[in-house]
mmCIF file with all atom_site columns, all heavy atoms in Angstrom:
data_model
loop_
_atom_site.group_PDB
_atom_site.id
_atom_site.type_symbol
_atom_site.label_atom_id
_atom_site.label_alt_id
_atom_site.label_comp_id
_atom_site.label_asym_id
_atom_site.label_entity_id
_atom_site.label_seq_id
_atom_site.pdbx_PDB_ins_code
_atom_site.Cartn_x
_atom_site.Cartn_y
_atom_site.Cartn_z
_atom_site.occupancy
_atom_site.B_iso_or_equiv
_atom_site.pdbx_formal_charge
_atom_site.auth_seq_id
_atom_site.auth_comp_id
_atom_site.auth_asym_id
_atom_site.auth_atom_id
_atom_site.pdbx_PDB_model_num
ATOM 1   N N   . ARG A 1 36 ? 2.466   66.094 -6.338  1.00 47.00 ? 36 ARG A N   1
ATOM 2   C CA  . ARG A 1 36 ? 3.173   66.991 -7.248  1.00 47.00 ? 36 ARG A CA  1
ATOM 3   C C   . ARG A 1 36 ? 2.255   67.475 -8.373  1.00 47.00 ? 36 ARG A C   1
ATOM 4   O O   . ARG A 1 36 ? 2.323   68.631 -8.788  1.00 47.00 ? 36 ARG A O   1
ATOM 5   C CB  . ARG A 1 36 ? 4.383   66.266 -7.853  1.00 47.00 ? 36 ARG A CB  1
ATOM 6   C CG  . ARG A 1 36 ? 5.492   65.946 -6.857  1.00 47.00 ? 36 ARG A CG  1
ATOM 7   C CD  . ARG A 1 36 ? 6.018   67.196 -6.175  1.00 47.00 ? 36 ARG A CD  1
ATOM 8   N NE  . ARG A 1 36 ? 6.471   68.176 -7.145  1.00 47.00 ? 36 ARG A NE  1
ATOM 9   C CZ  . ARG A 1 36 ? 6.782   69.435 -6.860  1.00 47.00 ? 36 ARG A CZ  1
ATOM 10  N NH1 . ARG A 1 36 ? 6.639   69.864 -5.615  1.00 47.00 ? 36 ARG A NH1 1
ATOM 11  N NH2 . ARG A 1 36 ? 7.190   70.274 -7.792  1.00 47.00 ? 36 ARG A NH2 1
ATOM 12  N N   . LEU A 1 37 ? 1.367   66.594 -8.863  1.00 47.00 ? 37 LEU A N   1
ATOM 13  C CA  . LEU A 1 37 ? 0.431   66.991 -9.911  1.00 47.00 ? 37 LEU A CA  1
ATOM 14  C C   . LEU A 1 37 ? -0.530  68.059 -9.384  1.00 47.00 ? 37 LEU A C   1
ATOM 15  O O   . LEU A 1 37 ? -0.823  69.046 -10.077 1.00 47.00 ? 37 LEU A O   1
ATOM 16  C CB  . LEU A 1 37 ? -0.360  65.771 -10.403 1.00 47.00 ? 37 LEU A CB  1
ATOM 17  C CG  . LEU A 1 37 ? -1.441  66.058 -11.460 1.00 47.00 ? 37 LEU A CG  1
ATOM 18  C CD1 . LEU A 1 37 ? -0.822  66.650 -12.722 1.00 47.00 ? 37 LEU A CD1 1
ATOM 19  C CD2 . LEU A 1 37 ? -2.221  64.787 -11.785 1.00 47.00 ? 37 LEU A CD2 1
ATOM 20  N N   . ASN A 1 38 ? -1.002  67.866 -8.154  1.00 54.00 ? 38 ASN A N   1
ATOM 21  C CA  . ASN A 1 38 ? -1.927  68.829 -7.569  1.00 54.00 ? 38 ASN A CA  1
ATOM 22  C C   . ASN A 1 38 ? -1.251  70.191 -7.360  1.00 54.00 ? 38 ASN A C   1
ATOM 23  O O   . ASN A 1 38 ? -1.849  71.242 -7.612  1.00 54.00 ? 38 ASN A O   1
ATOM 24  C CB  . ASN A 1 38 ? -2.456  68.297 -6.238  1.00 54.00 ? 38 ASN A CB  1
ATOM 25  C CG  . ASN A 1 38 ? -3.580  69.158 -5.680  1.00 54.00 ? 38 ASN A CG  1
ATOM 26  O OD1 . ASN A 1 38 ? -4.615  69.339 -6.324  1.00 54.00 ? 38 ASN A OD1 1
ATOM 27  N ND2 . ASN A 1 38 ? -3.368  69.686 -4.479  1.00 54.00 ? 38 ASN A ND2 1
ATOM 28  N N   . VAL A 1 39 ? -0.003  70.153 -6.906  1.00 50.00 ? 39 VAL A N   1
ATOM 29  C CA  . VAL A 1 39 ? 0.755   71.392 -6.735  1.00 50.00 ? 39 VAL A CA  1
ATOM 30  C C   . VAL A 1 39 ? 0.927   72.093 -8.072  1.00 50.00 ? 39 VAL A C   1
ATOM 31  O O   . VAL A 1 39 ? 0.785   73.313 -8.194  1.00 50.00 ? 39 VAL A O   1
ATOM 32  C CB  . VAL A 1 39 ? 2.124   71.112 -6.082  1.00 50.00 ? 39 VAL A CB  1
ATOM 33  C CG1 . VAL A 1 39 ? 3.010   72.352 -6.137  1.00 50.00 ? 39 VAL A CG1 1
ATOM 34  C CG2 . VAL A 1 39 ? 1.942   70.648 -4.641  1.00 50.00 ? 39 VAL A CG2 1
ATOM 35  N N   . TRP A 1 40 ? 1.198   71.310 -9.107  1.00 46.00 ? 40 TRP A N   1
ATOM 36  C CA  . TRP A 1 40 ? 1.411   71.890 -10.445 1.00 46.00 ? 40 TRP A CA  1
ATOM 37  C C   . TRP A 1 40 ? 0.119   72.510 -10.973 1.00 46.00 ? 40 TRP A C   1
ATOM 38  O O   . TRP A 1 40 ? 0.118   73.598 -11.548 1.00 46.00 ? 40 TRP A O   1
ATOM 39  C CB  . TRP A 1 40 ? 1.899   70.796 -11.398 1.00 46.00 ? 40 TRP A CB  1
ATOM 40  C CG  . TRP A 1 40 ? 2.271   71.331 -12.761 1.00 46.00 ? 40 TRP A CG  1
ATOM 41  C CD1 . TRP A 1 40 ? 3.465   71.887 -13.127 1.00 46.00 ? 40 TRP A CD1 1
ATOM 42  C CD2 . TRP A 1 40 ? 1.443   71.345 -13.921 1.00 46.00 ? 40 TRP A CD2 1
ATOM 43  N NE1 . TRP A 1 40 ? 3.416   72.252 -14.439 1.00 46.00 ? 40 TRP A NE1 1
ATOM 44  C CE2 . TRP A 1 40 ? 2.195   71.933 -14.967 1.00 46.00 ? 40 TRP A CE2 1
ATOM 45  C CE3 . TRP A 1 40 ? 0.144   70.928 -14.184 1.00 46.00 ? 40 TRP A CE3 1
ATOM 46  C CZ2 . TRP A 1 40 ? 1.688   72.112 -16.250 1.00 46.00 ? 40 TRP A CZ2 1
ATOM 47  C CZ3 . TRP A 1 40 ? -0.371  71.102 -15.466 1.00 46.00 ? 40 TRP A CZ3 1
ATOM 48  C CH2 . TRP A 1 40 ? 0.395   71.677 -16.483 1.00 46.00 ? 40 TRP A CH2 1
ATOM 49  N N   . LEU A 1 41 ? -0.998  71.803 -10.743 1.00 47.00 ? 41 LEU A N   1
ATOM 50  C CA  . LEU A 1 41 ? -2.281  72.331 -11.221 1.00 47.00 ? 41 LEU A CA  1
ATOM 51  C C   . LEU A 1 41 ? -2.686  73.582 -10.462 1.00 47.00 ? 41 LEU A C   1
ATOM 52  O O   . LEU A 1 41 ? -3.336  74.476 -11.019 1.00 47.00 ? 41 LEU A O   1
ATOM 53  C CB  . LEU A 1 41 ? -3.376  71.260 -11.095 1.00 47.00 ? 41 LEU A CB  1
ATOM 54  C CG  . LEU A 1 41 ? -3.236  70.039 -11.998 1.00 47.00 ? 41 LEU A CG  1
ATOM 55  C CD1 . LEU A 1 41 ? -4.345  69.041 -11.700 1.00 47.00 ? 41 LEU A CD1 1
ATOM 56  C CD2 . LEU A 1 41 ? -3.269  70.432 -13.476 1.00 47.00 ? 41 LEU A CD2 1
ATOM 57  N N   . ASP A 1 42 ? -2.333  73.650 -9.157  1.00 47.00 ? 42 ASP A N   1
ATOM 58  C CA  . ASP A 1 42 ? -2.690  74.807 -8.344  1.00 47.00 ? 42 ASP A CA  1
ATOM 59  C C   . ASP A 1 42 ? -1.811  76.012 -8.635  1.00 47.00 ? 42 ASP A C   1
ATOM 60  O O   . ASP A 1 42 ? -2.184  77.143 -8.324  1.00 47.00 ? 42 ASP A O   1
ATOM 61  C CB  . ASP A 1 42 ? -2.585  74.470 -6.855  1.00 47.00 ? 42 ASP A CB  1
ATOM 62  C CG  . ASP A 1 42 ? -3.706  73.532 -6.413  1.00 47.00 ? 42 ASP A CG  1
ATOM 63  O OD1 . ASP A 1 42 ? -4.638  73.338 -7.200  1.00 47.00 ? 42 ASP A OD1 1
ATOM 64  O OD2 . ASP A 1 42 ? -3.626  73.013 -5.286  1.00 47.00 ? 42 ASP A OD2 1
ATOM 65  N N   . ASP A 1 43 ? -0.652  75.764 -9.201  1.00 46.00 ? 43 ASP A N   1
ATOM 66  C CA  . ASP A 1 43 ? 0.302   76.839 -9.430  1.00 46.00 ? 43 ASP A CA  1
ATOM 67  C C   . ASP A 1 43 ? -0.151  77.673 -10.617 1.00 46.00 ? 43 ASP A C   1
ATOM 68  O O   . ASP A 1 43 ? -0.118  77.226 -11.763 1.00 46.00 ? 43 ASP A O   1
ATOM 69  C CB  . ASP A 1 43 ? 1.696   76.256 -9.685  1.00 46.00 ? 43 ASP A CB  1
ATOM 70  C CG  . ASP A 1 43 ? 2.757   77.348 -9.772  1.00 46.00 ? 43 ASP A CG  1
ATOM 71  O OD1 . ASP A 1 43 ? 2.383   78.545 -9.701  1.00 46.00 ? 43 ASP A OD1 1
ATOM 72  O OD2 . ASP A 1 43 ? 3.936   77.010 -9.932  1.00 46.00 ? 43 ASP A OD2 1
ATOM 73  N N   . GLU A 1 44 ? -0.583  78.905 -10.354 1.00 42.00 ? 44 GLU A N   1
ATOM 74  C CA  . GLU A 1 44 ? -1.086  79.738 -11.436 1.00 42.00 ? 44 GLU A CA  1
ATOM 75  C C   . GLU A 1 44 ? 0.011   80.093 -12.433 1.00 42.00 ? 44 GLU A C   1
ATOM 76  O O   . GLU A 1 44 ? -0.274  80.489 -13.565 1.00 42.00 ? 44 GLU A O   1
ATOM 77  C CB  . GLU A 1 44 ? -1.706  81.010 -10.871 1.00 42.00 ? 44 GLU A CB  1
ATOM 78  C CG  . GLU A 1 44 ? -0.742  81.889 -10.118 1.00 42.00 ? 44 GLU A CG  1
ATOM 79  C CD  . GLU A 1 44 ? -1.443  83.101 -9.541  1.00 42.00 ? 44 GLU A CD  1
ATOM 80  O OE1 . GLU A 1 44 ? -2.133  82.959 -8.538  1.00 42.00 ? 44 GLU A OE1 1
ATOM 81  O OE2 . GLU A 1 44 ? -1.296  84.181 -10.134 1.00 42.00 ? 44 GLU A OE2 1
ATOM 82  N N   . GLN A 1 45 ? 1.250   79.988 -12.017 1.00 47.00 ? 45 GLN A N   1
ATOM 83  C CA  . GLN A 1 45 ? 2.332   80.254 -12.955 1.00 47.00 ? 45 GLN A CA  1
ATOM 84  C C   . GLN A 1 45 ? 2.485   79.123 -13.967 1.00 47.00 ? 45 GLN A C   1
ATOM 85  O O   . GLN A 1 45 ? 2.949   79.335 -15.080 1.00 47.00 ? 45 GLN A O   1
ATOM 86  C CB  . GLN A 1 45 ? 3.653   80.437 -12.182 1.00 47.00 ? 45 GLN A CB  1
ATOM 87  C CG  . GLN A 1 45 ? 3.620   81.594 -11.182 1.00 47.00 ? 45 GLN A CG  1
ATOM 88  C CD  . GLN A 1 45 ? 3.286   82.910 -11.851 1.00 47.00 ? 45 GLN A CD  1
ATOM 89  O OE1 . GLN A 1 45 ? 3.754   83.190 -12.960 1.00 47.00 ? 45 GLN A OE1 1
ATOM 90  N NE2 . GLN A 1 45 ? 2.465   83.718 -11.200 1.00 47.00 ? 45 GLN A NE2 1
ATOM 91  N N   . GLN A 1 46 ? 2.086   77.897 -13.572 1.00 52.00 ? 46 GLN A N   1
ATOM 92  C CA  . GLN A 1 46 ? 2.181   76.761 -14.473 1.00 52.00 ? 46 GLN A CA  1
ATOM 93  C C   . GLN A 1 46 ? 1.017   76.745 -15.468 1.00 52.00 ? 46 GLN A C   1
ATOM 94  O O   . GLN A 1 46 ? 1.207   76.496 -16.649 1.00 52.00 ? 46 GLN A O   1
ATOM 95  C CB  . GLN A 1 46 ? 2.183   75.452 -13.661 1.00 52.00 ? 46 GLN A CB  1
ATOM 96  C CG  . GLN A 1 46 ? 3.361   75.298 -12.727 1.00 52.00 ? 46 GLN A CG  1
ATOM 97  C CD  . GLN A 1 46 ? 4.661   75.068 -13.485 1.00 52.00 ? 46 GLN A CD  1
ATOM 98  O OE1 . GLN A 1 46 ? 4.658   74.766 -14.667 1.00 52.00 ? 46 GLN A OE1 1
ATOM 99  N NE2 . GLN A 1 46 ? 5.776   75.241 -12.776 1.00 52.00 ? 46 GLN A NE2 1
ATOM 100 N N   . LEU A 1 47 ? -0.207  77.030 -14.991 1.00 58.00 ? 47 LEU A N   1
ATOM 101 C CA  . LEU A 1 47 ? -1.370  76.988 -15.870 1.00 58.00 ? 47 LEU A CA  1
ATOM 102 C C   . LEU A 1 47 ? -2.354  78.084 -15.455 1.00 58.00 ? 47 LEU A C   1
ATOM 103 O O   . LEU A 1 47 ? -3.418  77.819 -14.915 1.00 58.00 ? 47 LEU A O   1
ATOM 104 C CB  . LEU A 1 47 ? -2.040  75.610 -15.806 1.00 58.00 ? 47 LEU A CB  1
ATOM 105 C CG  . LEU A 1 47 ? -2.953  75.270 -16.995 1.00 58.00 ? 47 LEU A CG  1
ATOM 106 C CD1 . LEU A 1 47 ? -2.165  75.211 -18.289 1.00 58.00 ? 47 LEU A CD1 1
ATOM 107 C CD2 . LEU A 1 47 ? -3.663  73.949 -16.749 1.00 58.00 ? 47 LEU A CD2 1
ATOM 108 N N   . PRO A 1 48 ? -2.007  79.344 -15.714 1.00 75.00 ? 48 PRO A N   1
ATOM 109 C CA  . PRO A 1 48 ? -2.878  80.441 -15.301 1.00 75.00 ? 48 PRO A CA  1
ATOM 110 C C   . PRO A 1 48 ? -4.058  80.612 -16.256 1.00 75.00 ? 48 PRO A C   1
ATOM 111 O O   . PRO A 1 48 ? -4.035  80.144 -17.385 1.00 75.00 ? 48 PRO A O   1
ATOM 112 C CB  . PRO A 1 48 ? -1.942  81.661 -15.391 1.00 75.00 ? 48 PRO A CB  1
ATOM 113 C CG  . PRO A 1 48 ? -0.998  81.301 -16.500 1.00 75.00 ? 48 PRO A CG  1
ATOM 114 C CD  . PRO A 1 48 ? -0.796  79.808 -16.398 1.00 75.00 ? 48 PRO A CD  1
ATOM 115 N N   . VAL A 1 49 ? -5.105  81.283 -15.755 1.00 70.00 ? 49 VAL A N   1
ATOM 116 C CA  . VAL A 1 49 ? -6.195  81.699 -16.645 1.00 70.00 ? 49 VAL A CA  1
ATOM 117 C C   . VAL A 1 49 ? -5.679  82.893 -17.435 1.00 70.00 ? 49 VAL A C   1
ATOM 118 O O   . VAL A 1 49 ? -5.452  83.968 -16.897 1.00 70.00 ? 49 VAL A O   1
ATOM 119 C CB  . VAL A 1 49 ? -7.448  82.093 -15.831 1.00 70.00 ? 49 VAL A CB  1
ATOM 120 C CG1 . VAL A 1 49 ? -8.526  82.635 -16.763 1.00 70.00 ? 49 VAL A CG1 1
ATOM 121 C CG2 . VAL A 1 49 ? -7.966  80.899 -15.046 1.00 70.00 ? 49 VAL A CG2 1
ATOM 122 N N   . ARG A 1 50 ? -5.503  82.700 -18.728 1.00 77.00 ? 50 ARG A N   1
ATOM 123 C CA  . ARG A 1 50 ? -4.874  83.749 -19.534 1.00 77.00 ? 50 ARG A CA  1
ATOM 124 C C   . ARG A 1 50 ? -5.899  84.692 -20.151 1.00 77.00 ? 50 ARG A C   1
ATOM 125 O O   . ARG A 1 50 ? -5.809  85.896 -20.027 1.00 77.00 ? 50 ARG A O   1
ATOM 126 C CB  . ARG A 1 50 ? -4.014  83.123 -20.633 1.00 77.00 ? 50 ARG A CB  1
ATOM 127 C CG  . ARG A 1 50 ? -2.790  82.393 -20.094 1.00 77.00 ? 50 ARG A CG  1
ATOM 128 C CD  . ARG A 1 50 ? -1.802  82.079 -21.213 1.00 77.00 ? 50 ARG A CD  1
ATOM 129 N NE  . ARG A 1 50 ? -0.630  81.385 -20.698 1.00 77.00 ? 50 ARG A NE  1
ATOM 130 C CZ  . ARG A 1 50 ? 0.415   81.990 -20.124 1.00 77.00 ? 50 ARG A CZ  1
ATOM 131 N NH1 . ARG A 1 50 ? 0.412   83.317 -19.995 1.00 77.00 ? 50 ARG A NH1 1
ATOM 132 N NH2 . ARG A 1 50 ? 1.445   81.295 -19.684 1.00 77.00 ? 50 ARG A NH2 1
ATOM 133 N N   . ASP A 1 51 ? -6.882  84.140 -20.820 1.00 86.00 ? 51 ASP A N   1
ATOM 134 C CA  . ASP A 1 51 ? -7.799  84.983 -21.588 1.00 86.00 ? 51 ASP A CA  1
ATOM 135 C C   . ASP A 1 51 ? -9.237  84.723 -21.143 1.00 86.00 ? 51 ASP A C   1
ATOM 136 O O   . ASP A 1 51 ? -9.665  83.571 -21.044 1.00 86.00 ? 51 ASP A O   1
ATOM 137 C CB  . ASP A 1 51 ? -7.648  84.696 -23.085 1.00 86.00 ? 51 ASP A CB  1
ATOM 138 C CG  . ASP A 1 51 ? -8.431  85.687 -23.932 1.00 86.00 ? 51 ASP A CG  1
ATOM 139 O OD1 . ASP A 1 51 ? -8.699  86.802 -23.443 1.00 86.00 ? 51 ASP A OD1 1
ATOM 140 O OD2 . ASP A 1 51 ? -8.791  85.343 -25.076 1.00 86.00 ? 51 ASP A OD2 1
ATOM 141 N N   . ILE A 1 52 ? -9.966  85.792 -20.860 1.00 87.00 ? 52 ILE A N   1
ATOM 142 C CA  . ILE A 1 52 ? -11.389 85.705 -20.519 1.00 87.00 ? 52 ILE A CA  1
ATOM 143 C C   . ILE A 1 52 ? -12.173 86.382 -21.632 1.00 87.00 ? 52 ILE A C   1
ATOM 144 O O   . ILE A 1 52 ? -12.104 87.601 -21.797 1.00 87.00 ? 52 ILE A O   1
ATOM 145 C CB  . ILE A 1 52 ? -11.688 86.372 -19.161 1.00 87.00 ? 52 ILE A CB  1
ATOM 146 C CG1 . ILE A 1 52 ? -10.908 85.674 -18.045 1.00 87.00 ? 52 ILE A CG1 1
ATOM 147 C CG2 . ILE A 1 52 ? -13.184 86.329 -18.862 1.00 87.00 ? 52 ILE A CG2 1
ATOM 148 C CD1 . ILE A 1 52 ? -11.080 86.318 -16.677 1.00 87.00 ? 52 ILE A CD1 1
ATOM 149 N N   . LYS A 1 53 ? -12.879 85.577 -22.410 1.00 93.00 ? 53 LYS A N   1
ATOM 150 C CA  . LYS A 1 53 ? -13.644 86.098 -23.539 1.00 93.00 ? 53 LYS A CA  1
ATOM 151 C C   . LYS A 1 53 ? -15.079 86.372 -23.086 1.00 93.00 ? 53 LYS A C   1
ATOM 152 O O   . LYS A 1 53 ? -15.735 85.500 -22.528 1.00 93.00 ? 53 LYS A O   1
ATOM 153 C CB  . LYS A 1 53 ? -13.645 85.088 -24.692 1.00 93.00 ? 53 LYS A CB  1
ATOM 154 C CG  . LYS A 1 53 ? -12.256 84.740 -25.199 1.00 93.00 ? 53 LYS A CG  1
ATOM 155 C CD  . LYS A 1 53 ? -12.310 83.647 -26.259 1.00 93.00 ? 53 LYS A CD  1
ATOM 156 C CE  . LYS A 1 53 ? -10.911 83.249 -26.715 1.00 93.00 ? 53 LYS A CE  1
ATOM 157 N NZ  . LYS A 1 53 ? -10.962 82.143 -27.715 1.00 93.00 ? 53 LYS A NZ  1
ATOM 158 N N   . VAL A 1 54 ? -15.555 87.572 -23.338 1.00 94.00 ? 54 VAL A N   1
ATOM 159 C CA  . VAL A 1 54 ? -16.905 87.976 -22.941 1.00 94.00 ? 54 VAL A CA  1
ATOM 160 C C   . VAL A 1 54 ? -17.734 88.219 -24.190 1.00 94.00 ? 54 VAL A C   1
ATOM 161 O O   . VAL A 1 54 ? -17.356 89.020 -25.054 1.00 94.00 ? 54 VAL A O   1
ATOM 162 C CB  . VAL A 1 54 ? -16.885 89.256 -22.078 1.00 94.00 ? 54 VAL A CB  1
ATOM 163 C CG1 . VAL A 1 54 ? -18.300 89.641 -21.658 1.00 94.00 ? 54 VAL A CG1 1
ATOM 164 C CG2 . VAL A 1 54 ? -15.999 89.051 -20.847 1.00 94.00 ? 54 VAL A CG2 1
ATOM 165 N N   . SER A 1 55 ? -18.857 87.503 -24.317 1.00 95.00 ? 55 SER A N   1
ATOM 166 C CA  . SER A 1 55 ? -19.737 87.658 -25.471 1.00 95.00 ? 55 SER A CA  1
ATOM 167 C C   . SER A 1 55 ? -21.121 88.100 -25.016 1.00 95.00 ? 55 SER A C   1
ATOM 168 O O   . SER A 1 55 ? -21.463 88.024 -23.843 1.00 95.00 ? 55 SER A O   1
ATOM 169 C CB  . SER A 1 55 ? -19.832 86.349 -26.254 1.00 95.00 ? 55 SER A CB  1
ATOM 170 O OG  . SER A 1 55 ? -20.425 85.329 -25.464 1.00 95.00 ? 55 SER A OG  1
ATOM 171 N N   . GLY A 1 56 ? -21.929 88.535 -25.977 1.00 94.00 ? 56 GLY A N   1
ATOM 172 C CA  . GLY A 1 56 ? -23.268 89.026 -25.674 1.00 94.00 ? 56 GLY A CA  1
ATOM 173 C C   . GLY A 1 56 ? -23.449 90.431 -26.227 1.00 94.00 ? 56 GLY A C   1
ATOM 174 O O   . GLY A 1 56 ? -22.469 91.136 -26.515 1.00 94.00 ? 56 GLY A O   1
ATOM 175 N N   . GLU A 1 57 ? -24.699 90.838 -26.392 1.00 94.00 ? 57 GLU A N   1
ATOM 176 C CA  . GLU A 1 57 ? -25.001 92.186 -26.876 1.00 94.00 ? 57 GLU A CA  1
ATOM 177 C C   . GLU A 1 57 ? -24.931 93.158 -25.703 1.00 94.00 ? 57 GLU A C   1
ATOM 178 O O   . GLU A 1 57 ? -25.882 93.297 -24.935 1.00 94.00 ? 57 GLU A O   1
ATOM 179 C CB  . GLU A 1 57 ? -26.378 92.220 -27.535 1.00 94.00 ? 57 GLU A CB  1
ATOM 180 C CG  . GLU A 1 57 ? -26.482 91.345 -28.779 1.00 94.00 ? 57 GLU A CG  1
ATOM 181 C CD  . GLU A 1 57 ? -27.839 91.457 -29.435 1.00 94.00 ? 57 GLU A CD  1
ATOM 182 O OE1 . GLU A 1 57 ? -28.625 92.347 -29.030 1.00 94.00 ? 57 GLU A OE1 1
ATOM 183 O OE2 . GLU A 1 57 ? -28.120 90.658 -30.342 1.00 94.00 ? 57 GLU A OE2 1
#
Side-chain angles (χ1 to χ4, degrees):
R36 292 302 304 169
L37 177 61
N38 189 59
V39 170
W40 186 84
L41 293 177
D42 288 349
D43 186 356
E44 62 182 76
Q45 300 302 320
Q46 297 290 346
L47 200 63
V49 175
R50 292 194 180 278
D51 188 24
I52 299 177
K53 301 175 183 178
V54 181
S55 64
E57 297 183 10

